[in-house]
Amino acid sequence: MISRFFKPSLVKNCRTFATYNTVNTTTSFPSGHFEKYRAEKNEVDPENRGFAYLVVGGAGAGLAAIAKNTVVTALSTMSPGQDILALSSVEVDLSGIPESTAVVVKWRGKPLFIRHRSAEEISQSQAVELSTLPDPQADNARSKVPEWIILVGVCTHLGCIPISGGGDYNGWYCPCHGSHYDNAGRIRKGPAPMNLIVPPYKFITSDKIIVGDE
Amino acid sequence: MSNALTNIFYKYVAKRNSTWMAGAVVGAFVLDTTVSGFVNMTFDSLNKGKLWKDVYAERVKKGISQ
């Protein structure tokens, strides 16, 4: 630019030996040379909003994933620890229980009645007509193996603990209001509305059960 | 080709706020599942044999645990 204004005065009275290559005197530029390297113009969206929103949206999705993981981790510290969960199940060894005897085990603060039933007790219980029962339930629906009946020993009337061996049906008898249960824990006579509850249990070997492990 | 993809994204997801929110939620879920799954798989394969699930399988085979 300076040479455009000063060149005539600078060189007017002196002999110039140097040759200048100014913008005005360059040769032509090979413009067809670079077409194949030019980026393609987006006809539909010249501002390329799609790309910008994709970046922003991806960052937003990542942030949402981070937030979700943080909240879930923070809340999971409030879940019960292993020592509490260990109290929720009990393992019982059934080999020491002779026939026609019942055993009481504490499970989750409630008594569990486990009875080793003899053959006559089983056939007696299975022969009962379901229509005569106040709360009809078949015997094989209440026990996985007919010899072993496992019940929660809380009367379904008002929560007393029934006495084993009492009552008119060779099962349990609740002394508070006189509910009679048979040897499968079904209510036969008395004010209780439902049969004794069968807890969730499973046989790990033929001699051992775990009650309450889900 | 990338222009076509970004145009599709812009036209069907980014133009309306309702689809944008839906896309963000779905994208976050997919991203979380994919990245978690990938990282867990890599960690498990790099530490094979030392994790409890591998030790437990060995113990079951030997008969110590069930």
Side-chain angles (χ1 to χ4, degrees):
Chain A
M1 190 193 79
I2 293 176
S3 61
R4 209 182 299 154
F5 296 116
F6 291 133
K7 183 178 165 189
S9 55
L10 280 177
V11 305
K12 211 179 353 190
N13 295 317
C14 54
R15 222 182 303 185
T16 53
F17 297 103
T19 48
Y20 299 88
N21 264 338
T22 61
V23 179
N24 305 321
T25 59
T26 45
T27 50
S28 70
F29 185 83
S31 60
H33 205 44
F34 302 108
E35 286 308 317
K36 65 175 174 180
Y37 300 111
R38 228 181 260 284
E40 53 179 88
K41 188 179 162 77
N42 193 341
E43 301 299 335
V44 172
D45 182 9
E47 296 164 17
N48 231 337
R49 276 174 280 192
F51 174 72
Y53 285 141
L54 201 61
V55 171
V56 168
L63 207 66
I66 291 170
K68 172 238 170 196
N69 276 322
T70 309
V71 168
V72 166
T73 310
L75 285 180
S76 69
T77 61
M78 298 209 297
S79 63
Q82 293 280 4
D83 57 345
I84 306 292
L85 292 174
L87 291 174
S88 72
S89 63
V90 72
E91 203 176 290
V92 185
D93 188 0
L94 302 173
S95 53
I97 308 175
E99 270 209 3
S100 302
T101 39
V103 144
V104 180
V105 175
K106 183 172 172 185
W107 174 67
R108 293 185 187 173
K110 293 181 280 243
L112 268 184
F113 293 158
I114 300 172
R115 189 178 176 88
H116 187 174
R117 300 198 291 183
S118 61
E120 322 99 69
E121 287 174 7
I122 299 171
S123 50
Q124 214 177 38
S125 181
Q126 287 176 339
V128 171
E129 261 292 330
L130 291 182
S131 50
T132 61
L133 293 172
D135 183 8
Q137 223 181 351
D139 184 79
N140 44 17
R142 293 178 62 75
S143 57
K144 294 186 180 167
V145 172
E147 283 83 26
W148 296 103
I149 185 83
I150 293 140
L151 306 159
V152 176
V154 171
C155 178
T156 50
H157 180 229
L158 287 176
C160 293
I161 300 176
I163 300 173
S164 166
D168 304 334
Y169 296 90
N170 279 325
W172 286 272
Y173 172 71
C174 179
C176 291
H177 306 96
S179 306
H180 300 254
Y181 297 92
D182 66 10
N183 63 33
R186 294 179 287 197
I187 179 70
R188 293 296 201 92
K189 198 158 68 167
M194 296 191 310
N195 304 331
L196 290 178
I197 300 172
V198 179
Y201 65 95
K202 59 176 181 261
F203 279 85
I204 13 180
T205 67
S206 59
D207 258 346
K208 279 211 211 136
I209 53 168
I210 282 193
V211 184
D213 182 29
E214 277 109 39
Chain B
M1 202 268 284
S2 63
N3 261 340
L5 289 175
T6 51
N7 283 337
I8 291 170
F9 174 75
Y10 176 69
K11 192 168 155 201
Y12 292 112
V13 184
K15 248 190 165 170
R16 263 169 283 189
N17 193 259
S18 53
T19 53
W20 177 248
M21 282 298 140
V25 167
V26 168
F29 181 72
V30 167
L31 195 76
D32 183 32
T33 315
T34 318
V35 171
S36 290
F38 174 72
V39 168
N40 283 335
M41 248 196 321
T42 313
F43 184 83
D44 290 349
S45 76
L46 285 176
N47 289 309
K48 215 173 185 68
K50 298 185 218 163
L51 298 167
W52 168 242
K53 60 173 188 249
D54 303 323
V55 172
Y56 183 69
E58 289 291 320
R59 285 171 68 99
V60 168
K61 224 190 290 182
K62 285 191 215 158
I64 312 172
S65 316
Q66 67 261 25

